[in-house]
mmCIF file of all heavy atoms in Angstrom:
data_model
loop_
_atom_site.group_PDB
_atom_site.id
_atom_site.type_symbol
_atom_site.label_atom_id
_atom_site.label_comp_id
_atom_site.label_asym_id
_atom_site.label_seq_id
_atom_site.Cartn_x
_atom_site.Cartn_y
_atom_site.Cartn_z
ATOM 1 N N PRO T 703 16.885 5.618 21.189
ATOM 2 C CA PRO T 703 16.173 6.904 21.272
ATOM 3 C C PRO T 703 16.582 7.722 22.484
ATOM 4 O O PRO T 703 16.557 7.234 23.618
ATOM 5 C CB PRO T 703 14.713 6.463 21.334
ATOM 6 C CG PRO T 703 14.674 5.147 20.624
ATOM 7 C CD PRO T 703 15.972 4.479 20.972
ATOM 8 N N GLY T 704 16.990 8.952 22.249
ATOM 9 C CA GLY T 704 17.356 9.856 23.318
ATOM 10 C C GLY T 704 18.681 9.565 23.985
ATOM 11 O O GLY T 704 19.022 10.207 24.979
ATOM 12 N N GLN T 705 19.438 8.624 23.456
ATOM 13 C CA GLN T 705 20.695 8.217 24.084
ATOM 14 C C GLN T 705 21.892 8.601 23.227
ATOM 15 O O GLN T 705 21.750 9.052 22.092
ATOM 16 C CB GLN T 705 20.703 6.695 24.299
ATOM 17 C CG GLN T 705 19.545 6.174 25.126
ATOM 18 C CD GLN T 705 19.586 6.694 26.541
ATOM 19 O OE1 GLN T 705 20.617 6.651 27.213
ATOM 20 N NE2 GLN T 705 18.456 7.190 27.024
ATOM 21 N N SER T 706 23.062 8.402 23.817
ATOM 22 C CA SER T 706 24.292 8.630 23.084
ATOM 23 C C SER T 706 24.627 7.407 22.229
ATOM 24 O O SER T 706 23.884 6.422 22.212
ATOM 25 C CB SER T 706 25.418 8.926 24.076
ATOM 26 O OG SER T 706 26.612 9.253 23.404
ATOM 27 N N LEU T 707 25.744 7.466 21.528
ATOM 28 C CA LEU T 707 26.159 6.357 20.681
ATOM 29 C C LEU T 707 26.876 5.288 21.504
ATOM 30 O O LEU T 707 27.694 5.612 22.367
ATOM 31 C CB LEU T 707 27.110 6.849 19.583
ATOM 32 C CG LEU T 707 26.497 7.574 18.383
ATOM 33 C CD1 LEU T 707 26.068 8.983 18.752
ATOM 34 C CD2 LEU T 707 27.482 7.606 17.227
ATOM 35 N N THR T 708 26.590 4.039 21.176
ATOM 36 C CA THR T 708 27.248 2.907 21.808
ATOM 37 C C THR T 708 27.896 2.057 20.727
ATOM 38 O O THR T 708 27.252 1.688 19.747
ATOM 39 C CB THR T 708 26.244 2.043 22.590
ATOM 40 O OG1 THR T 708 25.627 2.845 23.598
ATOM 41 C CG2 THR T 708 26.938 0.860 23.241
ATOM 42 N N LEU T 709 29.159 1.720 20.926
ATOM 43 C CA LEU T 709 29.872 0.908 19.950
ATOM 44 C C LEU T 709 29.375 -0.526 20.000
ATOM 45 O O LEU T 709 29.321 -1.125 21.076
ATOM 46 C CB LEU T 709 31.372 0.951 20.221
ATOM 47 C CG LEU T 709 32.263 0.177 19.250
ATOM 48 C CD1 LEU T 709 32.226 0.809 17.861
ATOM 49 C CD2 LEU T 709 33.702 0.115 19.757
ATOM 50 N N ILE T 710 29.005 -1.056 18.823
ATOM 51 C CA ILE T 710 28.602 -2.457 18.729
ATOM 52 C C ILE T 710 29.824 -3.331 18.484
ATOM 53 O O ILE T 710 30.065 -4.306 19.195
ATOM 54 C CB ILE T 710 27.592 -2.661 17.574
ATOM 55 C CG1 ILE T 710 26.309 -1.870 17.829
ATOM 56 C CG2 ILE T 710 27.293 -4.149 17.373
ATOM 57 C CD1 ILE T 710 25.346 -1.866 16.646
ATOM 58 N N ALA T 711 30.579 -2.989 17.436
ATOM 59 C CA ALA T 711 31.696 -3.857 17.054
ATOM 60 C C ALA T 711 32.629 -3.128 16.108
ATOM 61 O O ALA T 711 32.276 -2.117 15.500
ATOM 62 C CB ALA T 711 31.176 -5.118 16.380
ATOM 63 N N THR T 712 33.825 -3.665 16.017
ATOM 64 C CA THR T 712 34.822 -3.222 15.047
ATOM 65 C C THR T 712 34.826 -4.241 13.911
ATOM 66 O O THR T 712 34.981 -5.451 14.162
ATOM 67 C CB THR T 712 36.212 -3.155 15.694
ATOM 68 O OG1 THR T 712 36.161 -2.263 16.800
ATOM 69 C CG2 THR T 712 37.247 -2.685 14.696
ATOM 70 N N ALA T 713 34.654 -3.744 12.701
ATOM 71 C CA ALA T 713 34.619 -4.630 11.527
ATOM 72 C C ALA T 713 36.015 -4.737 10.950
ATOM 73 O O ALA T 713 36.583 -3.765 10.463
ATOM 74 C CB ALA T 713 33.644 -4.071 10.492
ATOM 75 N N ASN T 714 36.582 -5.912 11.011
ATOM 76 C CA ASN T 714 37.948 -6.153 10.560
ATOM 77 C C ASN T 714 37.930 -6.793 9.183
ATOM 78 O O ASN T 714 37.206 -7.756 8.943
ATOM 79 C CB ASN T 714 38.672 -7.062 11.551
ATOM 80 C CG ASN T 714 38.634 -6.526 12.968
ATOM 81 O OD1 ASN T 714 39.025 -5.400 13.219
ATOM 82 N ND2 ASN T 714 38.140 -7.332 13.896
ATOM 83 N N GLN T 715 38.746 -6.286 8.282
ATOM 84 C CA GLN T 715 38.819 -6.861 6.949
ATOM 85 C C GLN T 715 39.609 -8.152 6.991
ATOM 86 O O GLN T 715 40.722 -8.176 7.498
ATOM 87 C CB GLN T 715 39.458 -5.856 5.984
ATOM 88 C CG GLN T 715 39.230 -6.182 4.527
ATOM 89 C CD GLN T 715 40.309 -7.066 3.915
ATOM 90 O OE1 GLN T 715 41.448 -7.009 4.341
ATOM 91 N NE2 GLN T 715 39.971 -7.867 2.941
ATOM 92 N N GLY T 716 39.014 -9.211 6.509
ATOM 93 C CA GLY T 716 39.698 -10.489 6.435
ATOM 94 C C GLY T 716 39.614 -11.325 7.691
ATOM 95 O O GLY T 716 40.195 -12.411 7.755
#
Side-chain angles (χ1 to χ4, degrees):
Chain T
Q705 303 295 312
S706 184
L707 283 75
T708 300
L709 182 67
I710 297 172
T712 302
N714 305 306
Q715 196 270 330

